[in-house]
Amino acid sequence: MKAADLHRLVRQNVLNLKPYSTARDEFQGKASVLLDANELPFTTGYNRYPDPHQRILKETISAVKLVPAKNIFAGNGSDEAIDLLYRVFCNPGTDQVIIPQPTYGMYSVSASINDVIVHTPSLTRSFDIDIDAILDAVTPRTKIIFLCSPNNPSGNLLTNSAIENLLNQFNGLVVVDEAYIDFADTTSWVPRLQEYPNLIVLQTLSKAWGLAGLRLGLCFAHEEVIGLLDKVKPPYNINVLTQKEAHRFLTTRQIEMKEHVQTVLSERNRLADLLLSCSAVDHVFPSNANFLLVRMKDAQKVYHHFVRKGIIVRDRSSVTLCEGCLRITVGTPEENHQLIQALKLI
Ligand SMILES: *Cc1c(COP(=O)(O)O)cnc(C)c1O
């Protein structure tokens, strides 16, 4: 797909939209007296509105991720980026998306909220892309294919050649959600944005960076797509605290983040071995993320036993291809020890 074809995918009302212009957008240059936004003039630490364009934060993200700032959108969590993609590209009631299953639930929930029709072909038995099943589900009204790699809840990477196939063959957008990329034994799709105008990569500070409470999701895409997301977003979607703290972590805590990731990875591998030695466990799926999908001999029994011990895991046993499975996040060595001790008591 060529960059010129992106235009055709956008909703007409979004193309026509004249976006809200913030007080700070309406002047250029240096200001020392700000009487334009009805803010309180006294300093509370937060009396000023945040930068609606998040310029400093985006320069930092640009330096860390090696991608031009014009290709970055910052959202109030990835969930905001997902919602905005629907609002920019999908006409309610008529347009369609493809969400191969099992995967992250928000793609479908957000589709329903936006009244977008969802097709849900299955991934393969090993949770990889089934090209034929996906292409069979494509109609002239299909706007987006959502892929998640490493996939939640299965933990595996999707095959790059299959993603490439879809990028080449599908005349719409392909979203690759890389929420768990920092734990994965592979490289990001971000450097390939120049090759594929229809590629959209999602990342987040909620997982490896340990900043789930800050709510910062990132979307990397062709600058035209970024421009459309910016046009539709709430003007001040990233608050002052989040912009400041995310900037601080990205500039000063990169080494610490990598150390945390290394610890989680060695704990994940240790936890996988320990789980396999428990009689309640049937299978541990290979993982490129910070969690393990585990098939139990009796998932309900294990789940409720864990709850009684105060240990909460994610019950995925009613999800397509995940029958009998629990999804277990890798914790601290002590938490993982408690989990295994509890499991041995069954
Ligand atoms: C956790 C997760 C996210 C993160 O969402 P945020 O809104 O950024 O916290 C995104 N995608 C997937 C697949 C996830 O598992």
Side-chain angles (χ1 to χ4, degrees), residues 70-73 219-230:
K70 67 176 195 303
N71 297 112
I72 303 169
F73 171 81
C219 173
F220 303 96
H222 189 276
E223 62 179 297
E224 188 171 339
V225 172
I226 300 301
L228 291 159
L229 296 173
D230 280 338

Side-chain angles (χ1 to χ4, degrees), residues 147-254:
L147 304 172
C148 185
S149 181
N151 188 43
N152 177 2
S154 52
N156 60 295
L157 289 165
L158 302 180
T159 303
N160 277 343
S161 58
I163 296 177
E164 207 163 334
N165 252 325
L166 291 175
L167 283 163
N168 286 320
Q169 294 185 58
F170 175 54
N171 274 323
L173 302 169
V174 177
V175 172
V176 180
D177 186 342
E178 296 184 337
Y180 300 98
I181 191 71
D182 295 305
F183 299 105
D185 190 14
T186 188
T187 51
S188 167
W189 276 86
V190 167
R192 308 201 56 185
L193 288 172
Q194 285 135 325
E195 277 169 77
Y196 297 106
N198 58 337
L199 171 63
I200 294 176
V201 180
L202 299 179
Q203 292 187 9
T204 178
L205 268 64
S206 295
K207 306 287 158 63
W209 282 95
L211 298 173
L214 273 191
R215 310 307 301 131
L216 189 70
L218 304 175
C219 173
F220 303 96
H222 189 276
E223 62 179 297
E224 188 171 339
V225 172
I226 300 301
L228 291 159
L229 296 173
D230 280 338
K231 202 174 170 187
V232 172
K233 78 179 179 76
Y236 303 109
N237 63 326
I238 311 295
N239 70 69
V240 169
L241 267 176
T242 298
Q243 291 194 40
K244 254 199 254 180
E245 280 292 273
H247 168 77
R248 188 169 71 83
F249 271 78
L250 288 165
T251 47
T252 66
R253 302 289 181 89
Q254 203 165 6

Side-chain angles (χ1 to χ4, degrees), residues 324-344:
C325 291
L326 303 178
R327 191 195 68 194
I328 303 176
T329 306
V330 178
T332 62
E334 170 55 26
E335 289 169 334
N336 302 331
H337 175 73
Q338 285 186 37
L339 179 100
I340 294 295
Q341 291 312 109
L343 197 53
K344 288 207 157 129

